[in-house]
Amino acid sequence: MATEKRPYRFVVLGASGFTGQYVAQEVARQQMNPELRGSALPWAVAGRSREKLLQVLEKAAQKLERPTLPDEVGIIICDIINPASLDEMAKQASVVLNCIGPYRFYGEPVVKACIENGASYVDISGEPQFLEEMYWKYHEKAAEKGVYVIGSSGFGSIPADLGVLYTRNKLKGTLTAVESFLTVNSGPEGMCIHDGTWKSAVHGFGDQKRLRNLRKQSNMKPVPVVGSKLKRRWPVSYCSELHEYSIPFMGADVSVVKRTQRFLYEDLQETPVQYAAYVTVGGLTSIIKLMFAGLFFLLFVKFSIGRQLLVKFPWFFSFGYFSQQGPTQKQMDDASFTFTFFGQGYSQDHTTKHGKPNIKICTQVKGPEPGYVATPIAMVQAAVTLLKDTSELPKGGGVFTPGAAFSKTKLIERLNQCGIEFSVISSSEV
């Protein structure tokens, strides 16, 4: 990557958006790290309104008790609908942190500008159709330019993707299958998510045909199943280990992890891991609520007018989980997440031809509020890793998942130091 002649190591694009403001705060917080004293990385915020960007910097300065911050950070004016302005922005950056979504509508111009102007790119998209389409359209172009395009580098899907790799690395043998269970904990005021995520989900589920066609056109051979085939759970199942009911997790994690495993198998000749993702939902009352919400959602996303209603009234149709205002600071302070991974495989003295797996492992990834605390941490550390661990990245550049890009780097160590903690809970032979 070209870094020496560019004025900014990081540019946070969309810093005045709801999530972007927290990403900007996290970059500023990392610059205050004692280990960086005297070698802080120059950075900038970018967007359409200088006034709003300045307000974001002033808010960060107040929160971090760093009054000189607005004078230390560059401001770049650019607009998604103005390709020339995106080109100028990308020319000034080593890594662009793109916070403007839904990415299916606004992501591609930024990816294109970054590749054409030699800037690497990180986003926090949880939209499989966008992520997979960017791979097919731009992987070879990015490789030719020697830049890295890394999608889904927030809560979706760094904890899941790197959690599977962490589980594999900690098993003393060959890991062949993993189930993950996400538990989101909230405080007395409950939880809330900004409606930007809701909009992405509405348009994603409303256009699943496009994703199916994209995968069909790719005509890729399935990755081989090693060892016993992982059995899928029922749509509502009871996890005896966690003592909670669970449902399949509908985010991008499965898509991202599968792409990572394909890369590791095809490019690095590593054993592919089967993967299934679930989210815990508590008791039967929660399941009934979710069933009603899910039925409404799946019915309405099928029609244009239904999608318009879902987007216009997120609080009503999501039973209060999504809103145009987003969570309060108290809700964010009280929230946390836990990913629990149950892995199975074969010990070093067994092979996958010996029948059932004979070893199990349980690991966890824990962190703060997922959307606006953990996501900025993950995104910023992914960008830092792009700059600092260049020799450990896949050679030559391209479009990658987080696991494919960072499997050999120190990203997990960095996340551990920033409050997203990876740990082994138990490991035993069956």
Side-chain angles (χ1 to χ4, degrees), residues 37-350:
R37 290 237 169 101
S39 62
L41 303 174
W43 65 289
V45 291
R48 292 179 297 179
S49 168
R50 179 179 295 274
E51 182 180 356
K52 289 183 179 180
L53 293 171
L54 189 57
Q55 288 174 357
V56 167
L57 294 177
E58 289 171 346
K59 183 178 179 181
Q62 183 177 8
K63 186 170 184 177
L64 299 173
E65 298 181 348
R66 189 177 172 184
T68 60
L69 180 66
D71 298 323
E72 299 169 3
V73 181
I75 293 179
I76 301 172
I77 305 304
C78 64
D79 194 332
I80 289 292
I81 64 174
N82 184 341
S85 72
L86 290 178
D87 288 339
E88 286 302 310
M89 179 273 301
K91 288 175 183 176
Q92 299 180 65
S94 297
V95 182
V96 172
L97 289 73
N98 182 18
C99 303
I100 301 177
Y103 290 91
R104 65 168 46 241
F105 300 131
Y106 308 119
E108 185 172 356
V110 185
V111 171
K112 185 178 180 181
C114 287
I115 292 173
E116 291 180 350
N117 295 282
S120 285
Y121 166 101
V122 177
D123 72 36
I124 48 177
S125 171
E127 305 165 43
Q129 178 256 313
F130 167 78
L131 296 164
E132 295 181 29
E133 190 170 13
M134 291 304 97
Y135 173 81
W136 290 111
K137 279 190 174 184
Y138 294 104
H139 179 66
E140 292 184 0
K141 294 178 182 178
E144 289 173 6
K145 289 284 189 175
V147 301
Y148 295 85
V149 175
I150 318 293
S152 54
S153 292
F155 177 71
S157 296
I158 277 184
D161 203 14
L162 295 189
V164 172
L165 298 184
Y166 177 84
T167 305
R168 180 200 66 180
N169 294 341
K170 292 300 180 180
L171 186 76
K172 295 180 180 179
T174 302
L175 183 71
T176 58
V178 171
E179 290 181 314
S180 72
F181 292 83
L182 168 62
T183 301
V184 179
N185 307 297
S186 61
E189 293 187 7
M191 63 176 290
C192 181
I193 304 172
H194 188 258
D195 73 333
T197 303
W198 175 259
K199 289 176 184 176
S200 296
V202 169
H203 293 296
F205 278 94
D207 195 18
Q208 285 187 306
K209 183 178 179 180
R210 186 174 172 184
L211 178 58
R212 287 194 297 268
N213 290 338
L214 178 67
R215 289 172 174 172
K216 188 176 181 180
Q217 291 168 11
S218 69
N219 199 28
M220 298 181 76
K221 295 180 180 178
V223 173
V225 173
V226 178
S228 297
K229 187 173 182 179
L230 180 64
K231 294 180 179 180
R232 295 295 186 265
R233 295 174 180 250
W234 290 96
V236 177
S237 62
Y238 185 74
C239 178
S240 57
E241 295 90 346
L242 298 177
H243 307 295
E244 286 198 72
Y245 287 94
S246 68
I247 60 174
F249 183 53
M250 304 304 289
D253 288 355
V254 171
S255 166
V256 171
V257 170
K258 285 185 174 181
R259 288 173 57 214
T260 293
Q261 295 304 316
R262 176 178 292 279
F263 170 82
L264 297 177
Y265 170 72
E266 293 180 347
D267 290 63
L268 303 182
Q269 291 73 55
E270 296 179 0
T271 302
V273 177
Q274 303 167 70
Y275 177 65
Y278 304 91
V279 58
T280 61
V281 292
L284 291 174
T285 303
S286 298
I287 291 173
I288 293 170
K289 283 184 179 179
L290 282 168
M291 286 177 63
F292 276 106
L295 288 171
F296 269 113
F297 184 86
L298 293 174
L299 176 64
F300 275 59
V301 294
K302 291 178 182 288
F303 309 100
S304 176
I305 190 170
R307 291 192 292 273
Q308 292 175 29
L309 289 170
L310 288 169
V311 168
K312 190 172 183 179
F313 304 106
W315 188 87
F316 175 78
F317 286 105
S318 69
F319 289 82
Y321 283 113
F322 292 85
S323 77
Q324 295 172 344
Q325 294 75 35
T328 64
Q329 188 61 50
K330 174 66 173 171
Q331 286 175 316
M332 291 168 56
D333 291 341
D334 290 344
S336 63
F337 76 87
T338 301
F339 264 103
T340 304
F341 299 86
F342 297 104
Q344 63 183 30
Y346 299 81
S347 59
Q348 293 170 344
D349 58 347
H350 279 63

